[in-house]
Amino acid sequence: MTRQRLGTGHTPLPSAALPVLPSTALPVLPSTALPVLPSTALPVLPSTALPVLLSTLLPVLLSTALLVLLCAPAAGQDAGRIVGRVIDAQTGAGVSNVTVDVPEGEAGALSGVDGRYVLVNVPAGAVTVRARSIGYGTKAVTGVQVRPGGTVEQDIVLESAAVELMAIEVTAAAERGSVVRALDQQRSAASIVSAVTAEQISRSPDGDAAAAMQRISGVTVQDGKYVFVRGLGERYTTTSLNGARIPSPEPERKVVPLDLFPSGLLQTITTSKTFTPDQPGDFSGAQVDIRTREFPGERQLTVSVGAGFNERVTGAILPAAPSSGGEWLAQAGGDRALPRSVARAGDFTGALSQSELNQMVNDFRNAWSADRQTGRGSSSLGLSLGGTDPLFGQDISYLLSGTYSYGEEARAEERRARALADGSGGTQEVDRFNGATGRTSVLLGGLANLSTLIGQHTRAFFNGTLNRTADNEARVELGSSENHGGMPTQIQRLRFVQRGIHSAQLGAEHQTGRHTIDWSVTASGVRRYEPDRSELVRAQTEPGEPFRWFSAGGEGAVRTFGDLSESAREASANYRLSLGAAAVKVGGLYRRTERDAENRAYSISATQLPVSALELTPEQIFDGRFTADGHAYMRVAPLSQGGSYSAADRLSAGYAMLDVPLGGRVRVIGGARVERSELDVTAQSTLANVTTRTSPSYTDVLPSLALHVQLADAHNLRFSVSQTLARPEYRELADVQYREVLGGENVRGNPDLERTLIRNADARWEWYPAAGEVVSVAAFAKQFDAPIERVYRATSGTSLVTFVNAAAAENIGVELEARKRLGFVAEPLEAFTLFTNVTLMRSVIEIARSASSQTNAERHMVGQAPYVVNAGLTWAPEWRTSSVTLLYNTVGERIVSAGEVPLPDVIERPRHVLDFSLRTSVLGSVSLKLDAKNLLDAPYELVQGDVTREYYRGGRSYAVGLSWNR
């Protein structure tokens, strides 16, 4: 790897500097050989990486090794175990107090909480598992293969009966197929849900939860991390981890960036699209619940490694942000922190001497220019250990897992511009910049999940998760700015963002007879740390002259320091009483959230520097030669884009719901939820030192009624009506102003915002023709009262963006979903599964004309797309441990930002995305995966009328990985 500093007189990297590999350069995988990547395509970790990585993984390795030693079973054990759940075929719920035994031996047990059972001392070989209970038909599952000393997972589905049924006998393979249908959340859930499972994720090239979410019907993902459901903005989607709400690490967004969660740690991602009273009421798009991996039935150790390359990164010369140590482990170096001399100055209202100003300039990290770096590639490492073993006489199920990935990205052919009205109904381009962005990304994740059965009626569990990401980014661009009289202007931006999330959850489930109680307490927190972001502007006054630092005003050299931390404490409890086929459920929740967000921005100016000094490189200008004792060139001042706020949020909720059968095929689920929210937001401007406070509070009753009709054994019809709400994001209520540098928009919160009420109606028909197959058609409609929208405020100077409650909005749509094996076409095609989902949507929002709202009065809602299409084809024969999957995704054009009259809206153009994934077993317990992503390399493009606001390509990427299971 070579580095070269970009200094004065050097133009930024033009798009032509980013090589595009010809089609002939792409690797061709012959059928007789595995691909061999060139050594230059594999990333090489720095020399300090190995000891730091070992120090990070050492506690996990030691703890897992100790657990293995403590829990190791005695050698020579011939008998095995069978574990699983007994499940009600109609509801998908676990059934307790069922007698489960093995006639071939003496193993027997009663199913406990959630239908879980454990059979020990089962003779090795093929055995039969029998389940018997009053009110259910007896079932015998034959052909269950038990290895000596091994553990087999076998769930059993029981059909309820008003009278005793004749005993049913099925094979183990057939029963597993029935369990797939019975456990399908779309079939047994009270609400309308869509889900993606660990099996589906494992057959795709998706590396995190955000990428996996793109496969769900009606879901779109913006910026690779933010989820939109059914065309609704991010404010209408909430996210939980193992059932508990996750705080957001974003200072101006409510949504949680799902790229924080590595796919290797996920069991399922469930998207609930309709509201039931036992769910939080502040969503109308979806409630996304991320479930971390569960425990395997027998001890399992998995180690995985991977490497890859991107055609626009590997071997290309890219801008790179200088490092300060620790970036590769998602850790900001200490020298990025806000200098103490600057922090002591506070709001700069006191008199500051020139020596104090010089000291501030010297204390800023002297890093302004992007390096030139030869791109490498990506790498990953994963380790997990799980199973169920005795510990001090108690069976403990456990899963300990860690994952690490490093990658490099590029934005090639990058350009951006602003649009102005041309006076004749069209648009004209101004402030056009061309350039490139280079970024290194790191993702670290770990979890520790524990569970144990206490007697037959209680299951206690602990879920611990810790994830962290970091992006180190450099952007270099050249263009012209109206603020600089149209002269050629060069901008360099260096940015480091560190995000982290942690969660610790303790809970239990108790089940005795007709009574079921579950409770949990969760402590979680997030942090978003963006220290020492720098922007430096240089301009060329005359053609052929060197570029000079734009030292006048507040935009020539800017340093920004952002730090957001949020903690949440949540406690919830639920009680369910079964009354035959009916059930009553009540529960409550309390959540306390605290957020502190600090954002400080400072400009450095020097109006008296000689021209010769302005032509030096930035690192020379700020190396101390112009801030020595007696020099009075430099000035430091806070900017209006700085500002801080804090929020204290309290939510109390209680609900009651009733699930009643009407005849044998109709279920009615109804009830209501009451939520009391109390919020205090305090904001302080860095520039004006003005403190504001707003304290909205609401008590809302949220009713829900759902009808579930089983038309036939494999057909369902669902109807649902409900009322939900959406609350303003904390930052939107903070009455402080912030602004991005050079051409960025001024944004200010609105403390008078009110929460939005939404009325929802849904209908869906579902058909489950066979195990793992589904065909469904759904329709939905939503009415919004006082929706919150991002708008432009009328001003005489620079435009100002704020947030207002619009008058009303509507959202309607249709969802189509199908997953079907192709054996019905021809028997040789039975190994192929075709799946697709299509969502068609339309929304209209009305924003009242007023002096504070100069956006288009009637338009689509921001973020709403008219259609979303996902499709795929998988080859996965039952007789082989191999699969090949081809995935396609596209999203219709959507509004990114509402236009300021008379300008049109800013639109994101559709992109067509094609991914390929191969999984196969080699050498027994070793598995191979090959992934190819973004094969079409479609551009990301924002337009406003005839003006391209933003454009870039990300490049095709290829990866190979190996995993070993024991």
Side-chain angles (χ1 to χ4, degrees):
M1 181 182 68
T2 60
R3 291 177 180 264
Q4 179 180 345
R5 180 70 66 183
L6 294 177
T8 302
H10 287 77
T11 59
L13 296 176
S15 58
L18 301 174
V20 179
L21 296 182
S23 59
T24 56
L26 300 181
V28 179
L29 305 179
S31 58
T32 57
L34 297 177
V36 179
L37 295 178
S39 59
T40 56
L42 300 178
V44 180
L45 295 177
S47 59
T48 58
L50 185 58
V52 180
L53 180 60
L54 289 177
S55 66
T56 304
L57 296 178
L58 190 58
V60 175
L61 294 172
L62 291 178
S63 62
T64 54
L66 179 61
L67 191 58
V68 170
L69 292 175
L70 290 173
C71 302
Q77 183 178 7
D78 293 330
R81 301 192 311 166
I82 301 177
V83 301
R85 293 178 63 210
V86 182
I87 300 160
D88 187 298
Q90 300 300 316
T91 66
V95 184
S96 61
N97 297 313
V98 177
T99 301
V100 184
D101 62 0
V102 175
E104 292 88 345
E106 300 179 355
L110 283 176
S111 64
V113 61
D114 202 24
R116 299 174 187 272
Y117 73 91
V118 179
L119 298 176
V120 297
N121 296 321
V122 179
V127 300
T128 298
V129 181
R130 183 173 56 190
R132 295 169 292 174
S133 179
I134 297 175
Y136 292 89
T138 299
K139 176 173 280 189
V141 182
T142 64
V144 180
Q145 296 290 334
V146 180
R147 301 195 317 271
T151 301
V152 178
E153 296 181 60
Q154 181 64 62
D155 294 339
I156 305 172
V157 177
L158 295 184
E159 298 282 349
S160 60
V163 296
E164 187 69 22
L165 293 176
M166 183 182 298
I168 300 174
E169 182 175 302
V170 299
T171 65
E175 181 65 359
R176 290 191 181 99
S178 299
V179 171
V180 170
R181 294 197 303 271
L183 291 182
D184 190 334
Q185 291 171 292
Q186 294 182 197
R187 184 178 184 182
S188 61
S191 61
I192 294 177
V193 304
S194 297
V196 59
T197 65
E199 179 184 8
Q200 293 169 288
I201 295 173
S202 69
R203 291 178 176 175
S204 74
D206 301 330
D208 53 56
M213 281 287 292
Q214 293 183 101
R215 317 302 177 187
I216 295 179
S217 176
V219 172
T220 59
V221 177
Q222 191 175 58
D223 297 336
K225 63 187 72 173
Y226 304 115
V227 170
F228 287 53
V229 180
R230 287 180 166 178
L232 298 175
E234 59 204 31
R235 72 173 68 252
Y236 302 109
T237 299
T238 59
T239 306
S240 60
L241 180 65
N242 296 316
R245 179 67 58 86
I246 308 173
S248 172
E250 300 300 322
E252 292 121 31
R253 297 174 183 261
K254 174 184 177 182
V255 70
V256 175
L258 295 187
D259 62 336
L260 275 168
F261 301 94
S263 60
L265 304 185
L266 306 180
Q267 182 69 26
T268 59
I269 307 174
T270 302
T271 305
S272 299
K273 299 178 180 178
T274 59
F275 170 69
T276 54
D278 56 347
Q279 297 174 308
D282 56 341
F283 80 89
S284 61
Q287 160 71 19
V288 178
D289 186 29
I290 300 171
R291 294 281 172 175
T292 52
R293 290 174 54 192
E294 295 181 353
F295 326 99
E298 60 183 341
R299 187 185 309 145
Q300 186 178 92
L301 174 66
T302 303
V303 180
S304 62
V305 294
F309 68 96
N310 182 299
E311 65 178 17
R312 294 187 181 271
V313 173
T314 306
I317 304 300
L318 301 171
S323 62
S324 61
E327 288 88 355
W328 76 278
L329 273 178
Q331 186 69 45
D335 58 350
R336 293 181 184 269
L338 178 69
R340 293 183 180 179
S341 57
V342 181
R344 284 196 300 265
D347 57 8
F348 281 61
T349 54
L352 295 173
S353 66
Q354 184 61 50
S355 61
E356 289 176 309
L357 295 174
N358 288 343
Q359 185 62 49
M360 293 180 190
V361 175
N362 292 336
D363 289 345
F364 284 120
R365 189 170 69 110
N366 191 19
W368 298 91
S369 303
D371 292 338
R372 294 170 61 94
Q373 177 175 302
T374 301
R376 297 176 297 178
S378 62
S379 59
S380 63
L381 172 66
L383 174 67
S384 66
L385 175 68
T388 301
D389 285 299
L391 181 62
F392 304 120
Q394 180 73 28
D395 279 344
I396 304 293
S397 297
Y398 56 91
L399 178 65
L400 305 174
S401 185
T403 183
Y404 171 86
S405 65
Y406 169 87
E408 296 184 0
E409 306 170 43
R411 291 186 174 184
E413 305 174 22
E414 191 170 27
R415 62 181 186 266
R416 67 177 178 92
R418 291 196 307 120
L420 292 181
D422 61 7
S424 59
T427 55
Q428 62 180 3
E429 181 183 81
V430 295
D431 293 354
R432 167 71 177 271
F433 285 86
N434 297 328
T437 297
R439 178 190 300 127
T440 61
S441 299
V442 170
L443 173 60
L444 282 165
L447 65 83
N449 290 352
L450 305 173
S451 176
T452 186
L453 289 174
I454 304 175
Q456 288 293 319
H457 304 296
T458 299
R459 183 178 78 94
F461 62 87
F462 170 82
N463 297 321
T465 305
L466 176 63
N467 296 327
R468 192 167 68 199
T469 69
D471 298 319
N472 198 21
E473 177 183 293
R475 179 170 180 169
V476 182
E477 54 189 0
L478 177 67
S480 62
S481 170
E482 292 294 307
N483 290 343
H484 300 160
M487 67 180 68
T489 302
Q490 185 190 69
I491 305 173
Q492 297 199 57
R493 292 183 174 92
L494 306 179
R495 185 185 187 203
F496 179 86
V497 181
Q498 173 186 317
R499 297 174 298 164
I501 182 168
H502 65 270
S503 175
Q505 182 182 62
L506 180 66
E509 301 170 348
H510 313 270
Q511 188 173 10
T512 56
R514 300 181 301 169
H515 307 278
T516 303
I517 299 174
D518 66 84
W519 60 267
S520 67
V521 291
T522 305
S524 60
V526 297
R527 187 188 185 194
R528 183 185 189 277
Y529 186 39
E530 186 179 356
D532 200 21
R533 185 175 83 178
S534 69
E535 288 110 346
L536 188 118
V537 180
R538 294 189 295 175
Q540 188 181 46
T541 57
E542 296 292 340
E545 291 188 355
F547 280 83
R548 298 168 182 170
W549 173 37
F550 188 73
S551 61
E555 296 183 335
V558 176
R559 303 304 276 256
T560 304
F561 300 83
D563 195 0
L564 180 149
S565 61
E566 181 173 325
S567 62
R569 303 292 183 269
E570 180 176 309
S572 65
N574 303 280
Y575 167 73
R576 187 177 188 271
L577 174 63
S578 298
L579 302 171
V584 177
K585 188 176 181 181
V586 296
L589 175 145
Y590 177 76
R591 183 169 64 245
R592 177 189 179 100
T593 304
E594 306 282 348
R595 173 184 283 193
D596 287 301
E598 184 176 28
N599 192 66
R600 298 174 180 267
Y602 304 92
S603 71
I604 303 175
S605 59
T607 57
Q608 302 301 318
L609 274 179
V611 172
S612 59
L614 299 178
E615 295 176 356
L616 297 174
T617 66
E619 283 71 25
Q620 291 174 323
I621 294 174
F622 298 107
D623 66 2
R625 68 183 68 186
F626 300 114
T627 52
D629 290 341
H631 288 178
Y633 296 113
M634 300 292 184
R635 295 289 183 269
V636 180
L639 293 178
S640 60
Q641 61 256 45
S644 304
Y645 70 95
S646 61
D649 194 359
R650 309 289 181 268
L651 178 71
S652 303
Y655 74 90
M657 60 184 292
L658 183 64
D659 187 342
V660 181
L662 300 179
R665 294 184 177 273
V666 180
R667 289 171 63 196
V668 177
I669 303 100
R673 183 180 185 90
V674 179
E675 291 193 350
R676 171 67 179 177
S677 64
E678 298 177 336
L679 174 63
D680 289 312
V681 177
T682 302
Q684 184 175 24
S685 172
T686 300
L687 186 61
N689 193 25
V690 176
T691 300
T692 61
R693 181 179 179 182
T694 181
S695 302
S697 62
Y698 297 97
T699 300
D700 295 289
V701 178
L702 307 172
S704 170
L705 180 64
L707 185 67
H708 182 188
V709 182
Q710 187 176 9
L711 300 175
D713 290 340
H715 297 263
N716 291 334
L717 187 61
R718 300 176 184 269
F719 300 94
S720 173
V721 292
S722 63
Q723 178 167 294
T724 55
L725 56 84
R727 301 184 180 94
E729 159 59 29
Y730 305 145
R731 178 63 185 82
E732 295 172 349
L733 291 166
D735 192 17
V736 294
Q737 181 173 311
Y738 65 96
R739 179 174 59 87
E740 294 183 352
V741 172
L742 197 58
E745 294 174 329
N746 294 286
V747 182
R748 191 178 191 92
N750 179 5
D752 297 324
L753 286 177
E754 299 179 358
R755 56 94 172 89
T756 303
L757 293 177
I758 307 109
R759 291 175 291 278
N760 312 279
D762 291 82
R764 184 157 87 170
W765 168 77
E766 304 166 346
W767 175 37
Y768 299 89
E773 298 182 351
V774 62
V775 177
S776 69
V777 180
F780 59 89
K782 301 178 183 295
Q783 290 184 337
F784 297 79
D785 181 17
I788 300 170
E789 284 284 295
R790 176 187 171 106
V791 301
Y792 288 87
R793 176 177 295 172
T795 60
S796 58
T798 305
S799 62
L800 178 66
V801 175
T802 187
F803 306 91
V804 299
N805 288 107
E810 295 181 352
N811 176 258
I812 59 174
V814 176
E815 291 179 330
L816 311 173
E817 182 180 10
R819 176 180 292 270
K820 190 77 174 70
R821 287 193 297 272
L822 300 183
F824 72 96
V825 177
E827 186 175 350
L829 299 179
E830 180 65 21
F832 290 88
T833 300
L834 179 67
F835 50 94
T836 183
N837 57 73
V838 179
T839 305
L840 307 175
M841 299 162 287
R842 179 180 180 272
S843 68
V844 177
I845 190 165
E846 299 177 9
I847 297 182
R849 291 285 189 184
S850 69
S852 63
S853 176
Q854 293 301 310
T855 185
N856 298 308
E858 291 190 9
R859 52 171 170 78
H860 298 312
M861 300 177 72
V862 171
Q864 189 267 334
Y867 62 85
V868 177
V869 178
N870 291 299
L873 181 66
T874 292
W875 176 76
E878 294 184 1
W879 46 272
R880 293 189 61 178
T881 56
S882 301
S883 68
V884 178
T885 302
L886 190 66
L887 297 167
Y888 169 79
N889 168 264
T890 188
V891 180
E893 66 177 30
R894 50 187 167 175
I895 298 176
V896 174
S897 181
E900 180 181 8
V901 175
L903 288 172
D905 301 320
V906 180
I907 301 293
E908 180 180 345
R909 288 271 178 85
R911 295 181 67 241
H912 300 277
V913 180
L914 188 66
D915 299 331
F916 170 85
S917 179
L918 180 148
R919 303 289 187 270
T920 189
S921 294
V922 293
L923 304 177
S925 58
V926 178
S927 298
L928 169 72
K929 67 175 184 178
L930 296 172
D931 293 328
K933 299 184 65 175
N934 195 28
L935 289 174
L936 303 178
D937 195 16
Y940 173 85
E941 185 175 13
L942 301 182
V943 298
Q944 189 171 23
D946 298 326
V947 175
T948 298
R949 292 289 305 266
E950 189 170 354
Y951 179 100
Y952 66 85
R953 294 181 184 269
R956 302 173 182 87
S957 60
Y958 307 89
V960 58
L962 293 172
S963 62
W964 173 75
N965 293 283
R966 179 183 183 275

